[in-house]
């Protein structure tokens, strides 16, 4: 079946000397993997390798057989042209981290328009703004809403956040907990949009500790989750 859909590139892997296997999150069908035969050597083809950089927003004309095998792309063009996302070193480090993160988290071949629209908006915001040190944390906090485990907003004044139960509590338990400066920072990310991160002031140590706790939160709630290898690079650029 031929499908025309918006899509966001999650990853690309060289296959042989001339081809790519590209993993893409589509608006029409969720996660899809495509084999781009000869794309690395073809000079006249409609597909260019530069289109498949991480988190690029595309419009695809693709053939979907929906049999669990690699699909094919007939045409691809930019749906949105980024100005800074792949050229500025800090933003590119965030892109590499998020693309790996989303590749780990998104596993379903089914339509999720809410998640797709969120990713479109969040990536364009990152491209257009400069104060982005707090961006990865809010991106992940919002992402939990689409994956089904957004933190319970009741009793946010309590001194502990139970990472296993996803709620604030007045007393610690044997479950992994968040407290102290990390929790003070965490509260500031709840219920805000991306513009709301600009005035948030965190020390480097608190930001890294909070990101570490958020990643643990994903590990506790998402089966098969593992911390992205690109986390070290992300921490380095904000060091």
């Amino acid at each position: 079946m031929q499908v025309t859909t918006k899509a966001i590139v999650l990853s690309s892997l060289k296959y042989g000397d001339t081809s790519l296997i590209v993993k893409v999150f589509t608006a029409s069908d969720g996660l899809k993997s495509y084999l781009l035969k000869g794309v690395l050597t073809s000079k006249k083809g409609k597909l260019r390798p530069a289109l498949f950089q991480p988190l690029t927003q595309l419009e695809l004309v693709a053939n979907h057989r929906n049999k669990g095998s690699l699909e094919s792309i007939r045409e691809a063009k930019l749906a949105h042209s980024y100005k800074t996302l792949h050229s500025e070193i800090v933003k590119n480090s965030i892109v590499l981290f998020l693309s790996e993160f989303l590749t780990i988290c998104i596993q379903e071949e089914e339509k999720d328009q809410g998640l797709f629209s969120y990713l479109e908006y969040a990536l364009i915001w990152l491209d257009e703004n400069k104060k982005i040190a707090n961006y990865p944390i809010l991106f992940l906090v919002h992402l939990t809403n689409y994956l089904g485990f957004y933190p319970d907003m009741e009793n946010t004044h309590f001194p502990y956040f139970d990472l296993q139960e996803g709620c604030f509590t007045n007393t610690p338990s044997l479950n992994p907990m968040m407290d102290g400066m990390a929790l003070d920072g965490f509260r500031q990310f709840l219920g805000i949009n991306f513009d709301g991160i600009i005035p948030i002031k965190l020390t480097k140590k608190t930001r890294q500790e909070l990101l570490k706790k958020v990643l643990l939160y994903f590990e506790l709630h998402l089966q098969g989750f593992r911390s992205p290898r690109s986390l070290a690079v992300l921490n380095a650029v904000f060091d």
Side-chain angles (χ1 to χ4, degrees):
M1 177 177 66
Q2 184 169 296
V3 175
T4 299
T5 180
K6 286 185 175 182
I8 297 171
V9 178
L10 299 185
S11 65
S12 61
L13 178 67
K14 189 176 180 182
Y15 181 73
D17 294 328
T18 63
S19 304
L20 289 175
I21 294 176
V22 180
K23 188 171 289 188
V24 171
F25 185 58
T26 68
S28 63
D29 296 276
L31 187 66
K32 285 290 181 183
S33 293
Y34 299 97
L35 176 60
L36 310 183
K37 292 183 179 179
V39 69
L40 298 178
T41 55
S42 175
K43 297 181 179 179
K44 297 182 180 180
K46 297 180 179 179
L47 304 179
R48 293 176 287 116
L51 289 172
F52 299 95
Q53 295 182 76
L55 302 187
T56 300
Q57 297 187 33
L58 300 174
E59 184 174 308
L60 303 179
V61 178
N63 293 322
H64 288 178
R65 293 176 294 175
N66 298 317
K67 294 183 179 180
S69 56
L70 294 172
E71 311 283 18
S72 60
I73 297 175
R74 297 174 60 88
E75 300 176 25
K77 63 180 180 181
L78 289 175
H80 180 84
S81 181
Y82 297 132
K83 300 177 181 68
T84 64
L85 220 58
H86 293 118
S87 58
E88 294 185 5
I89 186 168
V90 173
K91 289 186 178 182
N92 194 50
S93 298
I94 294 174
V95 164
L96 294 176
F97 171 76
L98 295 182
S99 63
E100 184 183 1
F101 196 95
L102 291 169
T103 300
I104 294 168
C105 292
I106 300 175
Q107 299 294 333
E108 297 298 325
E109 287 194 22
E110 59 181 41
K111 182 177 180 179
D112 190 335
Q113 186 58 53
L115 176 56
F116 189 87
S117 296
Y118 166 64
L119 296 179
E120 280 186 308
Y121 164 76
L123 293 171
I124 292 172
W125 191 95
L126 176 61
D127 184 52
E128 295 177 349
N129 286 271
K130 294 182 179 180
K131 295 184 178 181
I132 56 173
N134 294 320
Y135 176 91
I137 294 172
L138 187 62
F139 181 97
L140 300 187
V141 170
H142 276 321
L143 184 60
T144 64
N145 190 41
Y146 299 95
L147 300 179
F149 50 94
Y150 191 80
D152 189 328
M153 293 280 284
E154 289 189 19
N155 301 314
T156 57
H157 61 286
F158 282 177
Y160 303 96
F161 182 77
D162 188 321
L163 292 164
Q164 182 71 60
E165 298 298 328
C167 64
F168 290 85
T169 178
N170 212 16
T171 54
S173 71
L174 295 179
N175 292 338
M177 293 283 167
M178 188 191 309
D179 59 7
M181 296 297 292
L183 183 58
D184 290 341
F186 183 60
R187 292 189 184 98
Q188 297 181 69
F189 288 88
L190 298 177
I192 66 170
N193 59 23
F194 281 101
D195 289 335
I197 66 175
I198 295 173
I200 295 177
K201 305 297 183 183
L202 299 176
T203 65
K204 177 188 69 175
K205 181 179 179 181
T206 299
R207 184 181 295 112
Q208 291 186 352
E209 177 64 20
L210 178 51
L211 181 57
K212 181 179 177 181
K213 291 292 187 181
V214 171
L215 291 175
L216 177 57
Y217 187 57
F218 272 81
E219 183 178 337
L220 292 168
H221 291 269
L222 199 62
Q223 186 174 5
F225 178 82
R226 65 184 187 279
S227 185
R229 289 176 294 179
S230 51
L231 175 62
V233 176
L234 184 68
N235 284 334
V237 299
F238 285 113
D239 196 346

